[in-house]
Amino acid sequence: MIAEYRLGGAIAVRGSMVRTLTIARGPVDRGRHWLSLTATKGNGERFRMWLLTAGAPTRANISRYLFQEANTRAREYRNESSGEAVLPSSGIWETLAPSITELPEQIQYLGHRYSRDALRRAGPVEPPADAEVVLLQPDLLMGPASNTRQKDETRRYDGSDYELVRLTRDDYKRMRDEGINCVKVDGEQWKWADELGLYYWGGGRNLPFPESLYRSQYLGPALYLDEPAVGTRDHAVRPRLSKDEAFRRDLTPSIMFDEFRKYYGHAWRDGSPATLMKGLRARQDVDLGDMDFRQENLYTWETMVSTAAYQLSQDPRVPEAVVFEPPGRIGTRRTLPEMNMTYGVQFPPDDPKALAGIIYGFLRGAARLGAKRWGTSVYGAFERADAPWWMTHAYDLGASRFFFWDNYQLACVPFGEVLSLARHLRDYAKTHPRPALDQLRQAAEVVILLPPGYDLGHVQTGKGNMWGVGELNLERINRAGVAYRTVMSNFFTEVERCFKLGIPFDLLWDLPGMKLAGYREIVRVREDGKVEVKKQGTAAVLDKARVPARAGGAPPRLNVSLRWRVEGDAMEINAVARVDETSAKVYYTFGADDEGIYRNALVAWEIYGPDEQDQRVLMPERLKPRVILDRTGGTAEVSFSLNRPGSYRLRAGTVDTTGRTAVIWQPITLRRVPGSGKLTLLQNR
């Protein structure tokens, strides 16, 4: 049967509004039938859609999907791996294809009501036989963040910026040929991406409406929520920290969690998920009627992965995934040694699987909790030796989103490197088929829960100052009277235990009302310093985390001495550490310096005080450590300035290539000399 519908009511028909539409149903054959929709807009343009569906045209029922715009060849969108239909993913499928099993007198379509004018027997409903087949990979989206490339791709480590040029059609073709399938576009570039069979986003506000929403390749004007956790810190919390000393003193992980919830709620309501509707409402040729939706195919691009579970569990559809954004110079040879020194654990410092396990544990756990997807990205400052394996390992674990940041100083991955990494992942995926993503998402046997608000940090991920602020340093005491370092050390020790036993694990905030299903063991790290373990219907509360077997042998020997002098109103201090290797070599790096060289820093330095909310990570100028290496170890120096009286503590840590650590706390007490007001140092041992 064919039903003809006309826009109802006294509505002025705008150019991009559908004036009339025809819906045709073919005969049922082996439980399925063809359904077609033909629409004519106010400007006279027409488009058509065909669906092969088992019953109402819901996503689960559709096995084939074709779409044809005016004066173009029909396109059929298929999954390259499975051959299944790939439908548009912006989030309004039920509006684009009215969920009907019959042909009623009235239907709701694109925000308006349409009345049936005629009902008659159908002719052929099948789609054209010469339709172009577009093969897509919805479970493996990969691409850069921008629609530009670097004019000169030479790596820059000195903080300078690249000159960027707009991508050409040849650039998009080259990207496609190397495996990239998801790109950003402008008002001209979208046509190239569409022709080349790429997923694309952006495109400006003048894409054909509603045709663009029917294209399975078009993702929307935006692709991600940009770092809600970092936004919370930088826009909601840091401005108060800079001017409110009481807030600095009183800040807790719980307060950060509350601030994050408020910031995230605003970003979800008014940010990227609303961009598509805002753009359509602003167009003079469009009338949306009562149509309102949030773009569903967005992911949240986030550095603070502890927040992932919250972000993916607040709404069943938006966002659909979380993607890790590597902060700063994160990498195996830097971050794992820092974690060992910070938390007293012993991850193998040269095993990228250990670092990936921590990051991906949060992402996979969040995806499992929210029944959604996850992915990872590569940034320019990310340790380059890790990047290829980092991507393929994520693929093996079930990641479906892979992206590259391609602008802004050291954050930029140059165009040629993007292509190389994309080709590497494409070739790996072709030769390593994997199980269904839903199956991979359920792989973890143990889940380790962290109190909400507790965090791994930001640029200084391995150092542990939560949310990347010194005010939440690990020496502070929580509301249960326990140091943050104790809580986080328990957490990382349980992670280390699973890693060394080969037990797959997920990591989550311990959110209220969570339904944790399918885990054989639930480990709850508590703020009171205890660890609760539930398994096989029993529960036990332990005084501390379970320590796995660790390498024997002696840790490095570490000694620290101080020199000081008064400079004006400040005390200038020079600390010298002597490191002697014992059972293994000592290696720790700050990451690539301003020449791109990874240098052995030997020692990690921090200064705490004089108040508990005061903490600084001491980094050398240009990331060039003042180190002299010798046959048995070496010496490392750091200089810093103190300008307030009070009690400080200098923390120096070192780590060998097996993960054994040595830490020294050096007290420093300053007071003002009566009369002169100058600072003097009382060295306490």
Side-chain angles (χ1 to χ4, degrees):
M1 301 294 295
I2 290 179
E4 298 176 0
Y5 292 89
R6 185 173 299 276
L7 183 64
I11 300 175
V13 181
R14 302 184 188 182
S16 289
M17 292 177 65
V18 171
R19 181 192 300 273
T20 63
L21 67 152
T22 300
I23 300 177
R25 281 174 52 93
V28 176
D29 181 14
R30 287 173 289 185
R32 300 184 299 177
H33 65 275
W34 281 103
L35 185 71
S36 73
L37 181 150
T38 303
T40 302
K41 302 199 307 185
N43 58 15
E45 295 177 353
R46 299 178 68 198
F47 60 86
R48 298 191 71 184
M49 173 185 70
W50 293 266
L51 305 171
L52 184 60
T53 179
T58 62
R59 286 185 174 273
N61 286 343
I62 295 170
S63 54
R64 292 183 64 185
Y65 170 63
L66 298 90
F67 182 68
Q68 182 178 31
E69 300 181 48
N71 302 317
T72 65
R73 184 180 170 192
R75 281 183 152 190
E76 178 170 5
Y77 298 100
R78 294 182 189 168
N79 186 309
E80 183 175 345
S81 300
S82 67
E84 298 173 347
V86 177
L87 301 178
S89 59
S90 59
I92 57 167
W93 177 250
E94 294 79 5
T95 300
L96 298 176
S99 186
I100 56 176
T101 54
E102 302 298 334
L103 298 173
E105 292 185 0
Q106 291 187 329
I107 62 170
Q108 194 73 11
Y109 176 66
L110 295 179
H112 296 281
R113 185 165 293 278
Y114 289 77
S115 299
R116 193 177 69 195
D117 271 357
L119 183 65
R120 54 187 170 82
R121 291 213 171 268
V125 180
E126 290 79 6
D130 64 345
E132 175 189 3
V133 176
V134 179
L135 297 177
L136 299 172
Q137 293 179 292
D139 292 338
L140 187 62
L141 293 187
M142 176 166 50
S146 306
N147 61 337
T148 55
R149 56 173 293 180
Q150 308 77 35
K151 187 173 183 179
D152 178 357
E153 297 183 33
T154 304
R155 275 271 188 164
R156 299 188 176 204
Y157 294 93
D158 59 358
S160 62
D161 228 329
Y162 293 85
E163 181 182 353
L164 301 175
V165 295
R166 182 171 170 270
L167 293 173
T168 66
R169 190 185 189 286
D170 287 341
D171 290 328
Y172 283 106
K173 183 178 182 301
R174 184 180 174 194
M175 291 160 71
R176 181 203 63 182
D177 293 344
E178 299 290 6
I180 286 172
N181 62 3
C182 181
V183 295
K184 184 179 181 180
V185 295
D186 61 22
E188 180 186 20
Q189 293 166 331
W190 74 260
K191 297 178 182 178
W192 307 333
D194 191 74
E195 293 168 2
L196 291 167
L198 302 171
Y199 280 110
Y200 57 95
W201 60 282
R205 294 186 173 183
N206 295 317
L207 274 73
F209 176 84
E211 292 93 326
S212 58
L213 300 181
Y214 280 96
R215 301 177 188 141
S216 298
Q217 296 165 248
Y218 177 60
L219 300 177
L223 193 60
Y224 53 86
L225 286 76
D226 193 10
E227 298 185 275
V230 176
T232 301
R233 182 197 63 193
D234 291 349
H235 303 304
V237 174
R238 269 188 171 159
R240 293 181 62 186
L241 292 175
S242 66
K243 59 186 178 182
D244 187 343
E245 191 61 30
F247 183 63
R248 290 189 68 227
R249 182 186 64 243
D250 297 337
L251 186 65
T252 65
S254 179
I255 290 174
M256 287 297 304
F257 178 50
D258 289 339
E259 292 292 334
F260 171 71
R261 288 192 297 178
K262 289 186 286 187
Y263 187 94
Y264 177 79
H266 173 73
W268 185 89
R269 288 188 304 273
D270 302 321
S272 299
T275 300
L276 178 54
M277 287 299 295
K278 288 179 180 178
L280 292 174
R281 288 194 185 104
R283 289 176 53 164
Q284 296 300 311
D285 63 329
V286 173
D287 181 349
L288 297 178
D290 63 4
M291 185 171 72
D292 190 21
F293 68 96
R294 299 190 180 280
Q295 186 179 331
E296 292 180 10
N297 53 20
L298 297 165
Y299 61 86
T300 179
W301 203 330
E302 187 58 82
T303 63
M304 299 187 191
V305 291
S306 61
T307 68
Y310 182 87
Q311 296 193 50
L312 293 195
S313 64
Q314 296 310 293
D315 182 86
R317 294 189 175 184
V318 183
E320 73 159 3
V322 59
V323 173
F324 174 55
E325 175 188 339
R329 291 169 170 82
I330 192 171
T332 299
R333 299 295 295 277
R334 176 195 179 184
T335 308
L336 286 177
E338 286 184 346
M339 288 177 171
N340 289 335
M341 290 184 280
T342 298
Y343 303 111
V345 290
Q346 199 177 106
F347 291 110
D350 59 351
D351 189 346
K353 190 175 182 180
L355 178 58
I358 295 166
I359 302 301
Y360 295 164
F362 278 106
L363 302 178
R364 183 177 62 181
R368 177 170 173 169
L369 180 67
K372 294 182 178 177
R373 303 294 177 87
W374 66 277
T376 192
S377 64
V378 175
Y379 270 53
F382 185 70
E383 190 166 328
R384 292 176 68 182
D386 286 349
W389 182 87
W390 187 263
M391 297 177 67
T392 55
H393 185 58
Y395 169 87
D396 287 338
L397 294 180
S400 62
R401 305 289 184 269
F402 300 87
F403 292 98
F404 310 93
W405 197 257
D406 57 355
N407 61 72
Y408 191 67
Q409 300 176 7
L410 188 55
C412 173
V413 181
F415 186 67
E417 291 185 37
V418 168
L419 297 180
S420 177
L421 289 168
R423 181 172 61 252
H424 168 74
L425 180 59
R426 178 204 63 190
D427 292 346
Y428 184 87
K430 283 183 177 180
T431 56
H432 294 77
R434 57 184 178 178
L437 296 187
D438 292 348
Q439 178 182 341
L440 292 172
R441 196 170 56 200
Q442 304 292 322
E445 300 174 21
V446 174
V447 61
I448 304 172
L449 306 178
L450 188 65
Y454 282 70
D455 178 66
L456 308 188
H458 185 224
V459 174
Q460 302 284 352
T461 296
K463 292 292 188 181
N465 47 349
M466 291 186 281
W467 296 80
V469 294
E471 286 80 1
L472 290 178
N473 66 76
L474 294 177
E475 290 301 292
R476 298 201 66 176
I477 305 301
N478 68 17
R479 55 192 173 187
V482 175
Y484 295 152
R485 193 182 301 274
T486 298
V487 177
M488 295 302 296
S489 293
N490 280 336
F491 174 77
F492 275 95
T493 301
E494 287 290 337
V495 173
E496 180 194 358
R497 175 179 175 272
C498 285
F499 176 77
K500 289 185 172 177
L501 292 175
I503 301 171
F505 57 88
D506 286 342
L507 308 173
L508 297 170
W509 267 350
D510 192 5
L511 299 169
M514 282 195 310
K515 296 181 180 180
L516 302 174
Y519 296 105
R520 65 172 175 83
E521 183 174 274
I522 299 173
V523 180
R524 178 170 280 105
V525 175
R526 303 190 336 192
E527 285 195 281
D528 63 2
K530 298 184 183 300
V531 176
E532 179 183 312
V533 180
K534 291 184 178 181
K535 58 181 177 180
Q536 298 177 346
T538 64
V541 177
L542 311 177
D543 288 335
K544 60 181 180 179
R546 297 164 291 181
V547 179
R550 291 173 175 168
R557 290 190 295 270
L558 177 63
N559 290 285
V560 174
S561 60
L562 301 181
R563 297 193 300 268
W564 60 90
R565 70 181 189 278
V566 176
E567 287 284 344
D569 293 332
M571 180 70 71
E572 300 294 330
I573 296 179
N574 184 71
V576 180
R578 173 64 202 181
V579 177
D580 289 305
E581 297 169 341
T582 55
S583 302
K585 303 293 289 183
V586 169
Y587 184 86
Y588 161 61
T589 179
F590 296 127
D593 65 14
D594 64 353
E595 296 179 278
I597 306 300
Y598 291 82
R599 302 182 187 275
N600 188 352
L602 287 181
V603 176
W605 304 91
E606 300 166 81
I607 184 74
Y608 293 80
D611 296 322
E612 65 173 354
Q613 64 268 26
D614 299 323
Q615 183 253 13
R616 281 186 287 159
V617 175
L618 302 177
M619 304 289 285
E621 185 178 358
R622 300 170 58 196
L623 290 184
K624 294 183 183 296
R626 291 155 56 190
V627 169
I628 299 176
L629 299 174
D630 55 41
R631 295 180 63 184
T632 61
T635 59
E637 291 188 45
V638 68
S639 298
F640 54 96
S641 178
L642 303 176
N643 56 18
R644 296 165 57 196
S647 296
Y648 297 83
R649 291 191 299 161
L650 177 66
R651 188 179 196 269
T654 190
V655 58
D656 68 20
T657 53
T658 305
R660 308 178 193 90
T661 58
V663 174
I664 284 182
W665 288 92
Q666 177 68 61
I668 302 172
T669 302
L670 300 184
R671 67 176 179 84
R672 292 202 182 276
V673 178
S676 70
K678 290 185 176 295
L679 290 171
T680 187
L681 183 145
L682 303 175
Q683 187 175 5
N684 300 315
R685 291 190 178 276

